[in-house]
Amino acid sequence: MTMRNTLLVGSAALLRGVAALNHIVVQGQDFADSVTGDRFEIVGVDYQPGGEQAYDPTSGVDVLSTPDACLRDAALLQRLGANTIRTYNLNPDLNHDECASIFNAAGIYLIIDVNVPQESINRADPSSSYNVGYLNRTFGIIDNFRSYDNTLAFFSSNELVNDDQTSKEDPPYIRAVTRDLKQYLAARGGRAIPIGYSAADVRNILVDTTNYISCHVDGEDNDISRSDFIGVNGYSWCGPTSNFVTGQYSELAEFYADTTIPVFFSEYGCNKPQPRYWNEVLSIYSTKDMPTFSGGLAYEWTQEANDYGLVQLNDNNTLSLLRDYNVLQSQLKKVDFGAITTRNETAANLKPPTCSADIITSGAFDSEFNIPDQPDGVADLIKNGKGGIQGKLVDVGDLTVHTAVYNVDGSQVKNLAVSRVSGANTPSSTTSTAAAASNGPVGGMAMGGIFGMLIWLLG
Ligand SMILES: *[C@@H]1O[C@H](CO)[C@@H](O)[C@H](O)[C@H]1NC(C)=O
Ligand SMILES: *[C@@H]1O[C@H](CO)[C@@H](O)[C@H](O)[C@H]1NC(C)=O
Ligand SMILES: *[C@@H]1O[C@H](CO)[C@@H](O)[C@H](O)[C@H]1NC(C)=O
């Protein structure tokens, strides 16, 4: 291949890359589209095929490294109406370009946990697990995902503070890791991707947790240890007889009535009793019930031993949709997403609390805000970079799904494909999968042609 041909091929990919999703930014208590300024609500699914303990760094694969599986799932998530997935168990030494690009083409953002269960802060012994080796891993995840336009956010940790015991010792480590990740990201010179915390829904410490991670530290340079948002893993609304009040969402809405950072459900979908009706969806996206909530992520994509799946992975490398998928899809279709793009301008001016013992109400909860110093060697990693894989969006070509997918009744889903969209996916933007199959790349050829010509002239 000549140099000129190489440039031509490269340029087409580059220009298709321009059809990337707009960045999502934090504005006061909301997420917003950085270009249109519209409020952005998360319509998401927690994505951890294989389950919580599936991470195996020696296997050579993780949940975003098998493009065929990502393509199949992106097509189905798009049909469901999702605009975001959250992933938990990623390996920083793998390349995720194709999967990230497939989800980007489908209008789906990524929220990335930097931890895996085996490599995270140990809530029973935080000081010994907060070390350079651990942070090195988290920086690898940052490098891997920071250049994808559809990376919405990172979680610095998940449910580190769970009860009175852990609320004594662990809160400073949430702020420490947040600080380290933000410093690492800032030193790389790219955009400031939001970094936040995913909290267990333990009501007696939830308000303290939120105040602790979101408060402003006087004198600290740029408040760098402050979380940009909070996710709540909330399973209190159970079954068809539950409602906004008895499902205890009203209490959450009250807790967060004047929130100064975005709040959303980082997991929701109580599965007892079965089957699930997903009635909580209508409250989550109601401007009346939960006006300050920025949506949520339904737990979870694949059926695992704990019985929360929307879909079932079969042994013969096919996938079957479960009843829960259809019910969730029909609930999402009832939501008027057009009604929630406007931001509350009064709330935009709410100021975060100042960190002090005054904002902590539970006796056990840390109220000293002594953020641990960085372990030795971390400053060098931040300064010089970790030198791991740095991801980038790539041209993913044909987006037709070739693996078999079955409906609940056993019939095969026909003409399944990702439909290329230029903005966030919405439950109404994808009406039928058959129509989706006929949509080509958005302006890819034409633009590539013009740019190719330019390179040719310059060459
Ligand atoms: C960070 O991880 C890389 C492998 O990704 C390794 O080569 C390097 O030694 C690690 N550095 C530290 C300080 O742990
Ligand atoms: C694959 O397995 C599923 C579930 O057992 C079954 O319904 C389907 O017919 C199988 N497909 C093929 C091609 O064997
Ligand atoms: C806007 O935010 C303010 C401050 O939190 C609140 O009092 C008000 O009720 C909100 N308005 C709407 C329409 O939600």
Side-chain angles (χ1 to χ4, degrees):
M1 200 183 256
T2 65
M3 186 62 180
R4 181 166 293 163
N5 281 337
T6 311
L7 281 172
L8 279 170
V9 170
S11 68
L14 195 73
L15 276 161
R16 290 223 188 125
V18 173
L21 294 178
N22 296 338
H23 298 157
I24 300 297
V25 293
V26 169
Q27 291 185 354
Q29 63 179 196
D30 298 322
F31 291 112
D33 181 304
S34 61
V35 176
T36 65
D38 282 350
R39 184 175 180 198
F40 177 86
E41 289 218 30
I42 292 164
V43 184
V45 174
D46 293 301
Y47 189 81
Q48 56 171 351
E52 199 181 343
Q53 296 302 327
Y55 181 69
D56 174 5
T58 64
S59 67
V61 292
D62 65 20
V63 300
L64 291 182
S65 66
T66 312
D68 281 350
C70 292
L71 178 58
R72 174 200 63 205
D73 292 347
L76 293 168
L77 284 157
Q78 192 178 45
R79 232 177 47 139
L80 178 71
N83 62 23
T84 306
I85 56 169
R86 172 194 184 178
T87 62
Y88 300 74
N89 295 325
L90 294 168
N91 183 342
D93 298 323
L94 299 179
N95 183 305
H96 302 103
D97 289 354
E98 280 197 62
C99 279
S101 305
I102 288 166
F103 282 108
N104 172 71
I108 295 174
Y109 289 90
L110 311 173
I111 300 182
I112 305 289
D113 281 57
V114 299
N115 303 295
V116 290
Q118 301 89 330
E119 291 173 275
S120 54
I121 300 286
N122 175 357
R123 62 173 76 85
D125 182 14
S127 65
S128 70
S129 45
Y130 178 62
N131 55 52
V132 66
Y134 159 70
L135 288 169
N136 193 25
R137 178 215 142 68
T138 68
F139 295 162
I141 294 289
I142 297 277
D143 275 341
N144 232 271
F145 286 91
R146 66 187 165 84
S147 303
Y148 301 139
D149 299 276
N150 59 326
T151 296
L152 195 167
F154 294 104
F155 275 125
S156 61
S157 53
N158 182 57
E159 302 192 0
L160 192 57
V161 176
N162 267 356
D163 50 21
D164 284 348
Q165 187 56 38
T166 49
S167 76
K168 278 195 194 74
E169 263 198 78
D170 292 271
Y173 291 88
I174 302 177
R175 288 197 74 120
V177 176
T178 303
R179 168 197 63 200
D180 303 339
L181 296 174
K182 285 192 180 183
Q183 284 183 357
Y184 189 83
L185 195 52
R188 305 281 76 70
R191 73 185 161 108
I193 299 170
I195 295 179
Y197 174 66
S198 180
D201 183 6
V202 181
R203 298 284 164 102
N204 66 321
I205 55 168
L206 193 55
V207 172
D208 285 350
T209 303
T210 306
N211 283 336
Y212 191 98
I213 65 170
S214 66
C215 66
H216 163 82
V217 185
D218 271 336
E220 192 193 340
D221 186 24
N222 218 6
D223 263 350
I224 202 155
S225 67
R226 187 171 177 255
S227 288
D228 295 316
F229 61 87
I230 185 164
V232 179
N233 297 334
Y235 294 91
S236 60
W237 181 314
C238 297
T241 57
S242 237
N243 61 37
F244 179 57
V245 176
T246 62
Q248 297 165 46
Y249 275 24
S250 53
E251 188 181 50
L252 287 178
E254 247 170 69
F255 279 5
Y256 289 101
D258 289 322
T259 183
T260 58
I261 52 174
V263 55
F264 59 94
F265 287 107
S266 35
E267 295 173 2
Y268 75 88
C270 172
N271 67 349
K272 300 240 167 27
Q274 302 257 10
R276 290 193 281 189
Y277 289 82
W278 298 107
N279 290 332
E280 64 268 50
V281 165
L282 298 175
S283 262
I284 294 173
Y285 297 101
S286 153
T287 51
K288 182 171 141 284
D289 284 355
M290 309 197 88
T292 66
F293 268 66
S294 297
L297 297 136
Y299 192 84
E300 68 177 323
W301 184 237
T302 53
Q303 181 72 330
E304 308 295 342
N306 58 2
D307 213 11
Y308 283 91
L310 302 178
V311 304
Q312 165 90 48
L313 288 173
N314 301 319
D315 294 338
N316 58 12
N317 200 29
T318 66
L319 179 150
S320 299
L321 300 176
L322 299 177
R323 178 190 180 280
D324 275 10
Y325 175 96
N326 291 337
V327 177
L328 179 58
Q329 182 185 45
S330 68
Q331 295 286 22
L332 287 170
K333 279 203 173 119
K334 294 180 194 161
V335 177
D336 176 8
F337 284 98
I340 50 182
T341 54
T342 318
R343 304 191 47 229
N344 178 342
E345 295 303 337
T346 315
N349 299 321
L350 294 170
K351 293 273 174 290
T354 297
C355 298
S356 77
D358 300 348
I359 63 169
I360 302 299
T361 59
S362 150
F365 210 100
D366 175 66
S367 58
E368 289 173 11
F369 299 92
N370 288 324
I371 317 301
D373 289 340
Q374 251 159 11
D376 288 346
V378 175
D380 283 344
L381 279 175
I382 289 172
K383 181 156 165 269
N384 303 319
K386 174 199 155 80
I389 295 176
Q390 191 190 329
K392 61 175 188 320
L393 291 181
V394 295
D395 182 4
V396 283
D398 181 29
L399 295 177
T400 308
V401 176
H402 295 293
T403 50
V405 172
Y406 302 103
N407 288 306
V408 175
D409 67 7
S411 63
Q412 196 170 336
V413 177
K414 295 283 188 325
N415 300 322
L416 188 60
V418 165
S419 168
R420 271 178 216 266
V421 291
S422 53
N425 183 49
T426 68
S428 49
S429 72
T430 45
T431 43
S432 93
T433 47
S438 65
N439 284 352
V442 182
M445 281 310 289
M447 292 288 282
I450 292 164
F451 194 69
M453 182 82 89
L454 194 68
I455 297 282
W456 184 83
L457 288 171
L458 291 172

